[in-house]
Amino acid sequence: MLRALLSIWLVAFAPSLFGQRFTFQFYGQQQGLTNLTPQCILQDRTGFLWVGTQNGLFRYDGSQFVRFGLEAGLPSPSVESIHETRDGALWIG
């Protein structure tokens, strides 16, 4: 009887016993991320992914990365921290 109940329980709950399956996507130079050593990453409230590297700040829109560097007004090409305030402003350190 116990064996039958255990068998039924295993069949009913076996799918939930398996670990989650994750898929990984590699993003690199083909998508515009010219520096492959991220220092920090943030997803903002609108869904953009921001990546800080030693070669500038990169914004990913779902298809490609756009680089922001000294020419865009950053005081240094090295970005080590990104923070979003409650009102949506980004602070770059």
Side-chain angles (χ1 to χ4, degrees):
M1 177 72 174
L2 183 59
R3 186 177 288 173
L5 287 175
L6 183 58
S7 298
I8 291 171
W9 183 83
L10 283 175
V11 169
F13 295 104
S16 64
L17 297 176
F18 294 108
Q20 294 180 349
R21 296 182 187 255
F22 296 99
T23 57
F24 294 93
Q25 178 67 39
F26 178 79
Y27 297 104
Q29 294 178 349
Q30 291 179 345
Q31 291 80 24
L33 186 60
T34 58
N35 188 313
L36 301 179
T37 309
Q39 303 292 327
C40 52
I41 300 174
L42 172 90
Q43 184 173 9
D44 68 14
R45 64 176 57 192
T46 59
F48 288 113
L49 186 66
W50 296 88
V51 180
T53 71
Q54 293 177 349
N55 190 28
L57 179 67
F58 292 83
R59 183 187 69 199
Y60 184 67
D61 63 4
S63 62
Q64 67 179 358
F65 285 91
V66 175
R67 182 182 174 276
F68 300 91
L70 296 174
E71 67 284 349
L74 289 180
S76 169
S78 182
V79 175
E80 297 180 6
S81 63
I82 308 169
H83 176 74
E84 182 179 17
T85 62
R86 289 183 185 174
D87 63 354
L90 288 181
W91 286 77
I92 310 300

